[in-house]
PDB file of all heavy atoms in Angstrom:
ATOM      1  N   ALA A   1       0.812  -1.256  -0.043  1.00 95.00           N
ATOM      2  CA  ALA A   1      -0.007   0.070  -0.032  1.00 95.00           C
ATOM      3  C   ALA A   1       0.887   1.268   0.023  1.00 95.00           C
ATOM      4  O   ALA A   1       0.366   2.312  -0.347  1.00 95.00           O
ATOM      5  CB  ALA A   1      -1.012  -0.018   1.218  1.00 95.00           C
ATOM      6  N   ASP A   2       2.112   1.171   0.346  1.00 91.00           N
ATOM      7  CA  ASP A   2       2.964   2.389   0.352  1.00 91.00           C
ATOM      8  C   ASP A   2       3.890   2.374  -0.898  1.00 91.00           C
ATOM      9  O   ASP A   2       4.790   3.174  -0.911  1.00 91.00           O
ATOM     10  CB  ASP A   2       3.844   2.413   1.653  1.00 91.00           C
ATOM     11  CG  ASP A   2       4.854   1.193   1.788  1.00 91.00           C
ATOM     12  OD1 ASP A   2       4.666   0.224   0.969  1.00 91.00           O
ATOM     13  OD2 ASP A   2       5.621   1.267   2.632  1.00 91.00           O
ATOM     14  N   HIS A   3       3.599   1.610  -1.884  1.00 92.00           N
ATOM     15  CA  HIS A   3       4.428   1.467  -3.065  1.00 92.00           C
ATOM     16  C   HIS A   3       3.833   2.409  -4.112  1.00 92.00           C
ATOM     17  O   HIS A   3       2.713   2.249  -4.598  1.00 92.00           O
ATOM     18  CB  HIS A   3       4.446   0.015  -3.632  1.00 92.00           C
ATOM     19  CG  HIS A   3       5.309  -0.177  -4.828  1.00 92.00           C
ATOM     20  ND1 HIS A   3       4.674  -0.496  -6.003  1.00 92.00           N
ATOM     21  CD2 HIS A   3       6.638  -0.080  -5.098  1.00 92.00           C
ATOM     22  CE1 HIS A   3       5.608  -0.639  -6.883  1.00 92.00           C
ATOM     23  NE2 HIS A   3       6.729  -0.370  -6.374  1.00 92.00           N
ATOM     24  N   MET A   4       4.566   3.525  -4.506  1.00 90.00           N
ATOM     25  CA  MET A   4       3.990   4.611  -5.289  1.00 90.00           C
ATOM     26  C   MET A   4       3.480   4.090  -6.680  1.00 90.00           C
ATOM     27  O   MET A   4       2.366   4.454  -7.113  1.00 90.00           O
ATOM     28  CB  MET A   4       4.990   5.690  -5.463  1.00 90.00           C
ATOM     29  CG  MET A   4       5.026   6.673  -4.351  1.00 90.00           C
ATOM     30  SD  MET A   4       3.326   7.483  -4.026  1.00 90.00           S
ATOM     31  CE  MET A   4       2.903   8.258  -5.585  1.00 90.00           C
ATOM     32  N   PRO A   5       4.222   3.253  -7.443  1.00 93.00           N
ATOM     33  CA  PRO A   5       3.638   2.761  -8.733  1.00 93.00           C
ATOM     34  C   PRO A   5       2.305   2.000  -8.504  1.00 93.00           C
ATOM     35  O   PRO A   5       1.396   2.047  -9.231  1.00 93.00           O
ATOM     36  CB  PRO A   5       4.716   1.855  -9.257  1.00 93.00           C
ATOM     37  CG  PRO A   5       5.938   2.542  -8.751  1.00 93.00           C
ATOM     38  CD  PRO A   5       5.644   2.872  -7.327  1.00 93.00           C
ATOM     39  N   SER A   6       2.248   1.274  -7.382  1.00 95.00           N
ATOM     40  CA  SER A   6       1.011   0.552  -7.075  1.00 95.00           C
ATOM     41  C   SER A   6      -0.162   1.489  -6.707  1.00 95.00           C
ATOM     42  O   SER A   6      -1.276   1.243  -7.011  1.00 95.00           O
ATOM     43  CB  SER A   6       1.248  -0.453  -5.873  1.00 95.00           C
ATOM     44  OG  SER A   6       2.152  -1.424  -6.297  1.00 95.00           O
ATOM     45  N   ILE A   7       0.216   2.598  -6.062  1.00 94.00           N
ATOM     46  CA  ILE A   7      -0.808   3.640  -5.597  1.00 94.00           C
ATOM     47  C   ILE A   7      -1.267   4.255  -6.918  1.00 94.00           C
ATOM     48  O   ILE A   7      -2.538   4.509  -7.069  1.00 94.00           O
ATOM     49  CB  ILE A   7      -0.084   4.652  -4.747  1.00 94.00           C
ATOM     50  CG1 ILE A   7       0.169   4.076  -3.419  1.00 94.00           C
ATOM     51  CG2 ILE A   7      -1.124   5.898  -4.578  1.00 94.00           C
ATOM     52  CD1 ILE A   7       0.915   4.980  -2.503  1.00 94.00           C
ATOM     53  N   ARG A   8      -0.411   4.536  -7.911  1.00 95.00           N
ATOM     54  CA  ARG A   8      -0.921   5.111  -9.132  1.00 95.00           C
ATOM     55  C   ARG A   8      -1.809   4.178  -9.885  1.00 95.00           C
ATOM     56  O   ARG A   8      -2.917   4.567 -10.383  1.00 95.00           O
ATOM     57  CB  ARG A   8       0.243   5.460 -10.019  1.00 95.00           C
ATOM     58  CG  ARG A   8       0.992   6.795  -9.622  1.00 95.00           C
ATOM     59  CD  ARG A   8       2.045   7.027 -10.767  1.00 95.00           C
ATOM     60  NE  ARG A   8       2.555   8.401 -10.499  1.00 95.00           N
ATOM     61  CZ  ARG A   8       3.513   8.927 -11.321  1.00 95.00           C
ATOM     62  NH1 ARG A   8       3.965   8.256 -12.272  1.00 95.00           N
ATOM     63  NH2 ARG A   8       3.938  10.116 -11.101  1.00 95.00           N
ATOM     64  N   LYS A   9      -1.539   2.870  -9.910  1.00 97.00           N
ATOM     65  CA  LYS A   9      -2.404   1.932 -10.523  1.00 97.00           C
ATOM     66  C   LYS A   9      -3.741   1.811  -9.880  1.00 97.00           C
ATOM     67  O   LYS A   9      -4.841   1.788 -10.476  1.00 97.00           O
ATOM     68  CB  LYS A   9      -1.713   0.497 -10.600  1.00 97.00           C
ATOM     69  CG  LYS A   9      -0.536   0.471 -11.551  1.00 97.00           C
ATOM     70  CD  LYS A   9      -0.014  -1.028 -11.502  1.00 97.00           C
ATOM     71  CE  LYS A   9       1.255  -1.062 -12.451  1.00 97.00           C
ATOM     72  NZ  LYS A   9       2.469  -0.377 -12.061  1.00 97.00           N
ATOM     73  N   LEU A  10      -3.690   1.881  -8.499  1.00 97.00           N
ATOM     74  CA  LEU A  10      -4.896   1.845  -7.703  1.00 97.00           C
ATOM     75  C   LEU A  10      -5.795   3.075  -8.006  1.00 97.00           C
ATOM     76  O   LEU A  10      -6.983   2.933  -8.163  1.00 97.00           O
ATOM     77  CB  LEU A  10      -4.584   1.755  -6.203  1.00 97.00           C
ATOM     78  CG  LEU A  10      -5.743   1.765  -5.263  1.00 97.00           C
ATOM     79  CD1 LEU A  10      -6.702   0.676  -5.507  1.00 97.00           C
ATOM     80  CD2 LEU A  10      -5.243   1.771  -3.764  1.00 97.00           C
ATOM     81  N   GLU A  11      -5.198   4.207  -8.008  1.00 97.00           N
ATOM     82  CA  GLU A  11      -5.923   5.474  -8.255  1.00 97.00           C
ATOM     83  C   GLU A  11      -6.639   5.436  -9.620  1.00 97.00           C
ATOM     84  O   GLU A  11      -7.872   5.841  -9.714  1.00 97.00           O
ATOM     85  CB  GLU A  11      -4.983   6.604  -8.156  1.00 97.00           C
ATOM     86  CG  GLU A  11      -4.586   6.908  -6.780  1.00 97.00           C
ATOM     87  CD  GLU A  11      -3.558   8.111  -6.744  1.00 97.00           C
ATOM     88  OE1 GLU A  11      -3.052   8.438  -7.779  1.00 97.00           O
ATOM     89  OE2 GLU A  11      -3.275   8.598  -5.605  1.00 97.00           O
ATOM     90  N   ALA A  12      -5.942   4.857 -10.577  1.00 98.00           N
ATOM     91  CA  ALA A  12      -6.540   4.746 -11.997  1.00 98.00           C
ATOM     92  C   ALA A  12      -7.695   3.712 -11.983  1.00 98.00           C
ATOM     93  O   ALA A  12      -8.683   3.900 -12.621  1.00 98.00           O
ATOM     94  CB  ALA A  12      -5.523   4.331 -13.003  1.00 98.00           C
ATOM     95  N   PHE A  13      -7.484   2.682 -11.189  1.00 98.00           N
ATOM     96  CA  PHE A  13      -8.557   1.616 -11.149  1.00 98.00           C
ATOM     97  C   PHE A  13      -9.750   2.146 -10.419  1.00 98.00           C
ATOM     98  O   PHE A  13     -10.868   1.878 -10.951  1.00 98.00           O
ATOM     99  CB  PHE A  13      -7.973   0.392 -10.351  1.00 98.00           C
ATOM    100  CG  PHE A  13      -8.790  -0.770 -10.297  1.00 98.00           C
ATOM    101  CD1 PHE A  13      -9.026  -1.574 -11.407  1.00 98.00           C
ATOM    102  CD2 PHE A  13      -9.370  -1.201  -9.024  1.00 98.00           C
ATOM    103  CE1 PHE A  13      -9.823  -2.724 -11.325  1.00 98.00           C
ATOM    104  CE2 PHE A  13     -10.213  -2.298  -8.984  1.00 98.00           C
ATOM    105  CZ  PHE A  13     -10.449  -3.040 -10.129  1.00 98.00           C
ATOM    106  N   ARG A  14      -9.595   2.859  -9.366  1.00 98.00           N
ATOM    107  CA  ARG A  14     -10.762   3.479  -8.629  1.00 98.00           C
ATOM    108  C   ARG A  14     -11.406   4.528  -9.562  1.00 98.00           C
ATOM    109  O   ARG A  14     -12.665   4.578  -9.526  1.00 98.00           O
ATOM    110  CB  ARG A  14     -10.243   4.161  -7.380  1.00 98.00           C
ATOM    111  CG  ARG A  14      -9.567   3.221  -6.316  1.00 98.00           C
ATOM    112  CD  ARG A  14     -10.702   2.396  -5.630  1.00 98.00           C
ATOM    113  NE  ARG A  14     -10.075   1.790  -4.346  1.00 98.00           N
ATOM    114  CZ  ARG A  14     -10.557   0.638  -3.825  1.00 98.00           C
ATOM    115  NH1 ARG A  14     -11.505   0.030  -4.501  1.00 98.00           N
ATOM    116  NH2 ARG A  14     -10.015   0.177  -2.737  1.00 98.00           N
ATOM    117  N   ALA A  15     -10.694   5.265 -10.194  1.00 98.00           N
ATOM    118  CA  ALA A  15     -11.226   6.357 -11.048  1.00 98.00           C
ATOM    119  C   ALA A  15     -12.049   5.847 -12.124  1.00 98.00           C
ATOM    120  O   ALA A  15     -13.094   6.379 -12.649  1.00 98.00           O
ATOM    121  CB  ALA A  15     -10.087   7.212 -11.677  1.00 98.00           C
ATOM    122  N   ALA A  16     -11.751   4.564 -12.575  1.00 97.00           N
ATOM    123  CA  ALA A  16     -12.507   3.862 -13.553  1.00 97.00           C
ATOM    124  C   ALA A  16     -13.626   2.989 -13.086  1.00 97.00           C
ATOM    125  O   ALA A  16     -14.278   2.209 -13.884  1.00 97.00           O
ATOM    126  CB  ALA A  16     -11.635   3.031 -14.481  1.00 97.00           C
ATOM    127  N   GLY A  17     -13.867   3.122 -11.833  1.00 97.00           N
ATOM    128  CA  GLY A  17     -15.018   2.431 -11.145  1.00 97.00           C
ATOM    129  C   GLY A  17     -14.708   1.085 -10.629  1.00 97.00           C
ATOM    130  O   GLY A  17     -15.548   0.362 -10.192  1.00 97.00           O
ATOM    131  N   GLY A  18     -13.302   0.638 -10.566  1.00 95.00           N
ATOM    132  CA  GLY A  18     -13.060  -0.577  -9.884  1.00 95.00           C
ATOM    133  C   GLY A  18     -13.056  -0.481  -8.426  1.00 95.00           C
ATOM    134  O   GLY A  18     -12.802   0.472  -7.805  1.00 95.00           O
ATOM    135  N   GLU A  19     -13.403  -1.652  -7.796  1.00 95.00           N
ATOM    136  CA  GLU A  19     -13.532  -1.709  -6.348  1.00 95.00           C
ATOM    137  C   GLU A  19     -12.744  -2.784  -5.664  1.00 95.00           C
ATOM    138  O   GLU A  19     -12.256  -2.615  -4.625  1.00 95.00           O
ATOM    139  CB  GLU A  19     -15.070  -1.823  -6.033  1.00 95.00           C
ATOM    140  CG  GLU A  19     -15.955  -0.717  -6.471  1.00 95.00           C
ATOM    141  CD  GLU A  19     -17.365  -0.963  -6.106  1.00 95.00           C
ATOM    142  OE1 GLU A  19     -17.708  -2.099  -5.579  1.00 95.00           O
ATOM    143  OE2 GLU A  19     -18.229  -0.082  -6.366  1.00 95.00           O
ATOM    144  N   LEU A  20     -12.618  -3.924  -6.312  1.00 98.00           N
ATOM    145  CA  LEU A  20     -11.950  -5.096  -5.658  1.00 98.00           C
ATOM    146  C   LEU A  20     -10.529  -5.075  -5.821  1.00 98.00           C
ATOM    147  O   LEU A  20      -9.950  -5.197  -6.889  1.00 98.00           O
ATOM    148  CB  LEU A  20     -12.570  -6.394  -6.212  1.00 98.00           C
ATOM    149  CG  LEU A  20     -14.085  -6.605  -6.127  1.00 98.00           C
ATOM    150  CD1 LEU A  20     -14.601  -7.740  -6.886  1.00 98.00           C
ATOM    151  CD2 LEU A  20     -14.479  -6.746  -4.665  1.00 98.00           C
ATOM    152  N   VAL A  21      -9.832  -4.809  -4.685  1.00 98.00           N
ATOM    153  CA  VAL A  21      -8.314  -4.643  -4.707  1.00 98.00           C
ATOM    154  C   VAL A  21      -7.671  -5.409  -3.577  1.00 98.00           C
ATOM    155  O   VAL A  21      -8.133  -5.542  -2.462  1.00 98.00           O
ATOM    156  CB  VAL A  21      -7.963  -3.113  -4.534  1.00 98.00           C
ATOM    157  CG1 VAL A  21      -6.511  -2.982  -4.477  1.00 98.00           C
ATOM    158  CG2 VAL A  21      -8.653  -2.223  -5.526  1.00 98.00           C
ATOM    159  N   GLU A  22      -6.515  -6.033  -3.939  1.00 98.00           N
ATOM    160  CA  GLU A  22      -5.719  -6.713  -2.969  1.00 98.00           C
ATOM    161  C   GLU A  22      -4.224  -6.287  -3.089  1.00 98.00           C
ATOM    162  O   GLU A  22      -3.744  -6.268  -4.237  1.00 98.00           O
ATOM    163  CB  GLU A  22      -5.741  -8.350  -3.222  1.00 98.00           C
ATOM    164  CG  GLU A  22      -7.115  -8.922  -2.857  1.00 98.00           C
ATOM    165  CD  GLU A  22      -7.479  -8.820  -1.382  1.00 98.00           C
ATOM    166  OE1 GLU A  22      -6.525  -8.779  -0.587  1.00 98.00           O
ATOM    167  OE2 GLU A  22      -8.674  -8.858  -1.099  1.00 98.00           O
ATOM    168  N   HIS A  23      -3.647  -5.908  -1.980  1.00 98.00           N
ATOM    169  CA  HIS A  23      -2.220  -5.551  -1.931  1.00 98.00           C
ATOM    170  C   HIS A  23      -1.403  -6.730  -1.495  1.00 98.00           C
ATOM    171  O   HIS A  23      -1.902  -7.620  -0.596  1.00 98.00           O
ATOM    172  CB  HIS A  23      -1.922  -4.405  -0.964  1.00 98.00           C
ATOM    173  CG  HIS A  23      -2.553  -3.166  -1.363  1.00 98.00           C
ATOM    174  ND1 HIS A  23      -1.893  -2.314  -2.243  1.00 98.00           N
ATOM    175  CD2 HIS A  23      -3.694  -2.476  -1.076  1.00 98.00           C
ATOM    176  CE1 HIS A  23      -2.594  -1.211  -2.495  1.00 98.00           C
ATOM    177  NE2 HIS A  23      -3.732  -1.307  -1.811  1.00 98.00           N
ATOM    178  N   THR A  24      -0.187  -6.894  -2.020  1.00 98.00           N
ATOM    179  CA  THR A  24       0.588  -8.072  -1.706  1.00 98.00           C
ATOM    180  C   THR A  24       2.124  -7.724  -1.952  1.00 98.00           C
ATOM    181  O   THR A  24       2.435  -6.668  -2.411  1.00 98.00           O
ATOM    182  CB  THR A  24       0.196  -9.295  -2.461  1.00 98.00           C
ATOM    183  OG1 THR A  24       0.896 -10.493  -1.994  1.00 98.00           O
ATOM    184  CG2 THR A  24       0.410  -9.251  -3.950  1.00 98.00           C
ATOM    185  N   MET A  25       2.946  -8.709  -1.704  1.00 95.00           N
ATOM    186  CA  MET A  25       4.389  -8.517  -2.049  1.00 95.00           C
ATOM    187  C   MET A  25       4.567  -8.863  -3.537  1.00 95.00           C
ATOM    188  O   MET A  25       3.813  -9.717  -4.084  1.00 95.00           O
ATOM    189  CB  MET A  25       5.274  -9.444  -1.155  1.00 95.00           C
ATOM    190  CG  MET A  25       5.125  -9.191   0.328  1.00 95.00           C
ATOM    191  SD  MET A  25       5.457  -7.459   0.720  1.00 95.00           S
ATOM    192  CE  MET A  25       7.188  -7.336   0.234  1.00 95.00           C
ATOM    193  N   HIS A  26       5.612  -8.309  -4.136  1.00 92.00           N
ATOM    194  CA  HIS A  26       5.832  -8.503  -5.520  1.00 92.00           C
ATOM    195  C   HIS A  26       6.487  -9.862  -5.781  1.00 92.00           C
ATOM    196  O   HIS A  26       7.741  -9.928  -5.812  1.00 92.00           O
ATOM    197  CB  HIS A  26       6.701  -7.428  -6.192  1.00 92.00           C
ATOM    198  CG  HIS A  26       5.931  -6.174  -6.459  1.00 92.00           C
ATOM    199  ND1 HIS A  26       6.040  -5.049  -5.697  1.00 92.00           N
ATOM    200  CD2 HIS A  26       4.997  -5.845  -7.439  1.00 92.00           C
ATOM    201  CE1 HIS A  26       5.267  -4.075  -6.184  1.00 92.00           C
ATOM    202  NE2 HIS A  26       4.588  -4.548  -7.170  1.00 92.00           N
ATOM    203  N   SER A  27       5.718 -10.921  -5.834  1.00 94.00           N
ATOM    204  CA  SER A  27       6.274 -12.289  -6.109  1.00 94.00           C
ATOM    205  C   SER A  27       5.135 -13.133  -6.638  1.00 94.00           C
ATOM    206  O   SER A  27       3.949 -12.793  -6.533  1.00 94.00           O
ATOM    207  CB  SER A  27       6.799 -12.804  -4.810  1.00 94.00           C
ATOM    208  OG  SER A  27       5.740 -13.088  -3.892  1.00 94.00           O
ATOM    209  N   LEU A  28       5.570 -14.274  -7.170  1.00 96.00           N
ATOM    210  CA  LEU A  28       4.563 -15.238  -7.604  1.00 96.00           C
ATOM    211  C   LEU A  28       3.656 -15.705  -6.418  1.00 96.00           C
ATOM    212  O   LEU A  28       2.393 -15.808  -6.544  1.00 96.00           O
ATOM    213  CB  LEU A  28       5.148 -16.412  -8.313  1.00 96.00           C
ATOM    214  CG  LEU A  28       4.339 -17.392  -9.029  1.00 96.00           C
ATOM    215  CD1 LEU A  28       5.105 -17.994 -10.155  1.00 96.00           C
ATOM    216  CD2 LEU A  28       3.849 -18.529  -8.120  1.00 96.00           C
ATOM    217  N   GLU A  29       4.224 -15.900  -5.323  1.00 97.00           N
ATOM    218  CA  GLU A  29       3.564 -16.395  -4.177  1.00 97.00           C
ATOM    219  C   GLU A  29       2.585 -15.298  -3.627  1.00 97.00           C
ATOM    220  O   GLU A  29       1.451 -15.621  -3.263  1.00 97.00           O
ATOM    221  CB  GLU A  29       4.429 -16.755  -3.028  1.00 97.00           C
ATOM    222  CG  GLU A  29       5.356 -18.008  -3.308  1.00 97.00           C
ATOM    223  CD  GLU A  29       6.574 -17.747  -4.275  1.00 97.00           C
ATOM    224  OE1 GLU A  29       6.881 -16.513  -4.498  1.00 97.00           O
ATOM    225  OE2 GLU A  29       7.079 -18.673  -4.772  1.00 97.00           O
ATOM    226  N   GLY A  30       3.006 -14.066  -3.665  1.00 97.00           N
ATOM    227  CA  GLY A  30       2.152 -12.985  -3.332  1.00 97.00           C
ATOM    228  C   GLY A  30       0.957 -12.858  -4.211  1.00 97.00           C
ATOM    229  O   GLY A  30      -0.178 -12.658  -3.790  1.00 97.00           O
ATOM    230  N   GLY A  31       1.247 -13.044  -5.538  1.00 98.00           N
ATOM    231  CA  GLY A  31       0.106 -13.031  -6.484  1.00 98.00           C
ATOM    232  C   GLY A  31      -0.892 -14.086  -6.265  1.00 98.00           C
ATOM    233  O   GLY A  31      -2.094 -13.874  -6.368  1.00 98.00           O
ATOM    234  N   HIS A  32      -0.347 -15.232  -5.998  1.00 98.00           N
ATOM    235  CA  HIS A  32      -1.285 -16.394  -5.665  1.00 98.00           C
ATOM    236  C   HIS A  32      -2.190 -16.152  -4.476  1.00 98.00           C
ATOM    237  O   HIS A  32      -3.365 -16.297  -4.565  1.00 98.00           O
ATOM    238  CB  HIS A  32      -0.392 -17.654  -5.401  1.00 98.00           C
ATOM    239  CG  HIS A  32      -1.175 -18.861  -5.024  1.00 98.00           C
ATOM    240  ND1 HIS A  32      -1.533 -19.225  -3.720  1.00 98.00           N
ATOM    241  CD2 HIS A  32      -1.706 -19.865  -5.782  1.00 98.00           C
ATOM    242  CE1 HIS A  32      -2.311 -20.285  -3.703  1.00 98.00           C
ATOM    243  NE2 HIS A  32      -2.387 -20.786  -4.966  1.00 98.00           N
ATOM    244  N   ALA A  33      -1.649 -15.626  -3.386  1.00 98.00           N
ATOM    245  CA  ALA A  33      -2.329 -15.424  -2.133  1.00 98.00           C
ATOM    246  C   ALA A  33      -3.402 -14.301  -2.367  1.00 98.00           C
ATOM    247  O   ALA A  33      -4.555 -14.421  -1.932  1.00 98.00           O
ATOM    248  CB  ALA A  33      -1.437 -15.030  -1.036  1.00 98.00           C
ATOM    249  N   ALA A  34      -3.039 -13.229  -3.050  1.00 98.00           N
ATOM    250  CA  ALA A  34      -3.924 -12.122  -3.307  1.00 98.00           C
ATOM    251  C   ALA A  34      -5.034 -12.525  -4.268  1.00 98.00           C
ATOM    252  O   ALA A  34      -6.220 -12.141  -4.074  1.00 98.00           O
ATOM    253  CB  ALA A  34      -3.206 -10.944  -3.757  1.00 98.00           C
ATOM    254  N   ALA A  35      -4.726 -13.160  -5.315  1.00 98.00           N
ATOM    255  CA  ALA A  35      -5.660 -13.515  -6.419  1.00 98.00           C
ATOM    256  C   ALA A  35      -6.683 -14.493  -5.862  1.00 98.00           C
ATOM    257  O   ALA A  35      -7.910 -14.400  -6.138  1.00 98.00           O
ATOM    258  CB  ALA A  35      -4.992 -14.077  -7.528  1.00 98.00           C
ATOM    259  N   LEU A  36      -6.230 -15.377  -4.859  1.00 98.00           N
ATOM    260  CA  LEU A  36      -7.223 -16.366  -4.350  1.00 98.00           C
ATOM    261  C   LEU A  36      -8.298 -15.736  -3.608  1.00 98.00           C
ATOM    262  O   LEU A  36      -9.506 -16.173  -3.698  1.00 98.00           O
ATOM    263  CB  LEU A  36      -6.323 -17.264  -3.430  1.00 98.00           C
ATOM    264  CG  LEU A  36      -7.151 -18.561  -2.923  1.00 98.00           C
ATOM    265  CD1 LEU A  36      -7.609 -19.379  -4.074  1.00 98.00           C
ATOM    266  CD2 LEU A  36      -6.251 -19.384  -1.945  1.00 98.00           C
ATOM    267  N   LYS A  37      -8.088 -14.608  -2.937  1.00 98.00           N
ATOM    268  CA  LYS A  37      -9.038 -13.764  -2.196  1.00 98.00           C
ATOM    269  C   LYS A  37     -10.102 -13.222  -3.265  1.00 98.00           C
ATOM    270  O   LYS A  37     -11.274 -13.263  -2.978  1.00 98.00           O
ATOM    271  CB  LYS A  37      -8.471 -12.680  -1.428  1.00 98.00           C
ATOM    272  CG  LYS A  37      -7.548 -13.111  -0.287  1.00 98.00           C
ATOM    273  CD  LYS A  37      -6.928 -11.962   0.449  1.00 98.00           C
ATOM    274  CE  LYS A  37      -6.037 -12.424   1.532  1.00 98.00           C
ATOM    275  NZ  LYS A  37      -5.385 -11.257   2.289  1.00 98.00           N
ATOM    276  N   LEU A  38      -9.550 -12.799  -4.407  1.00 98.00           N
ATOM    277  CA  LEU A  38     -10.492 -12.195  -5.440  1.00 98.00           C
ATOM    278  C   LEU A  38     -11.271 -13.312  -6.048  1.00 98.00           C
ATOM    279  O   LEU A  38     -12.480 -13.110  -6.399  1.00 98.00           O
ATOM    280  CB  LEU A  38      -9.606 -11.466  -6.420  1.00 98.00           C
ATOM    281  CG  LEU A  38      -8.885 -10.183  -6.014  1.00 98.00           C
ATOM    282  CD1 LEU A  38      -7.980  -9.672  -7.070  1.00 98.00           C
ATOM    283  CD2 LEU A  38      -9.944  -9.184  -5.542  1.00 98.00           C
ATOM    284  N   VAL A  39     -10.692 -14.420  -6.427  1.00 98.00           N
ATOM    285  CA  VAL A  39     -11.368 -15.578  -6.991  1.00 98.00           C
ATOM    286  C   VAL A  39     -12.476 -16.006  -6.101  1.00 98.00           C
ATOM    287  O   VAL A  39     -13.690 -16.327  -6.574  1.00 98.00           O
ATOM    288  CB  VAL A  39     -10.419 -16.802  -7.239  1.00 98.00           C
ATOM    289  CG1 VAL A  39     -11.199 -17.985  -7.696  1.00 98.00           C
ATOM    290  CG2 VAL A  39      -9.439 -16.356  -8.333  1.00 98.00           C
ATOM    291  N   ARG A  40     -12.302 -15.943  -4.729  1.00 97.00           N
ATOM    292  CA  ARG A  40     -13.371 -16.456  -3.879  1.00 97.00           C
ATOM    293  C   ARG A  40     -14.440 -15.377  -3.787  1.00 97.00           C
ATOM    294  O   ARG A  40     -15.506 -15.633  -3.233  1.00 97.00           O
ATOM    295  CB  ARG A  40     -12.792 -16.585  -2.430  1.00 97.00           C
ATOM    296  CG  ARG A  40     -11.895 -17.904  -2.404  1.00 97.00           C
ATOM    297  CD  ARG A  40     -11.143 -17.888  -1.146  1.00 97.00           C
ATOM    298  NE  ARG A  40     -10.374 -19.220  -0.988  1.00 97.00           N
ATOM    299  CZ  ARG A  40      -9.401 -19.390  -0.048  1.00 97.00           C
ATOM    300  NH1 ARG A  40      -9.101 -18.459   0.804  1.00 97.00           N
ATOM    301  NH2 ARG A  40      -8.815 -20.606  -0.086  1.00 97.00           N
ATOM    302  N   GLN A  41     -14.275 -14.138  -4.390  1.00 97.00           N
ATOM    303  CA  GLN A  41     -15.301 -13.166  -4.484  1.00 97.00           C
ATOM    304  C   GLN A  41     -15.940 -13.110  -5.863  1.00 97.00           C
ATOM    305  O   GLN A  41     -16.605 -12.183  -6.245  1.00 97.00           O
ATOM    306  CB  GLN A  41     -14.671 -11.720  -4.162  1.00 97.00           C
ATOM    307  CG  GLN A  41     -14.206 -11.630  -2.719  1.00 97.00           C
ATOM    308  CD  GLN A  41     -13.512 -10.317  -2.540  1.00 97.00           C
ATOM    309  OE1 GLN A  41     -14.206  -9.289  -2.502  1.00 97.00           O
ATOM    310  NE2 GLN A  41     -12.170 -10.262  -2.319  1.00 97.00           N
TER     311      GLN A  41
END
């Protein structure tokens, strides 16, 4: 959440009406854990 490029992407996503967001570490494992939460939604 304190990573500026991620903040920029999040702001663009919100501005376009996106709501479902997960923050994680930049790794394959991080992507797996975060995406699993979204898939369950």
Side-chain angles (χ1 to χ4, degrees):
D2 64 349
H3 180 247
M4 275 304 301
S6 295
I7 291 173
R8 281 187 170 181
K9 292 182 177 71
L10 174 59
E11 289 175 346
F13 186 70
R14 296 285 196 210
E19 297 180 356
L20 300 171
V21 177
E22 292 293 335
H23 291 280
T24 187
M25 300 306 296
H26 281 108
S27 65
L28 189 149
E29 292 77 15
H32 177 272
L36 191 57
K37 296 178 183 179
L38 294 174
V39 170
R40 289 170 177 168
Q41 297 177 68

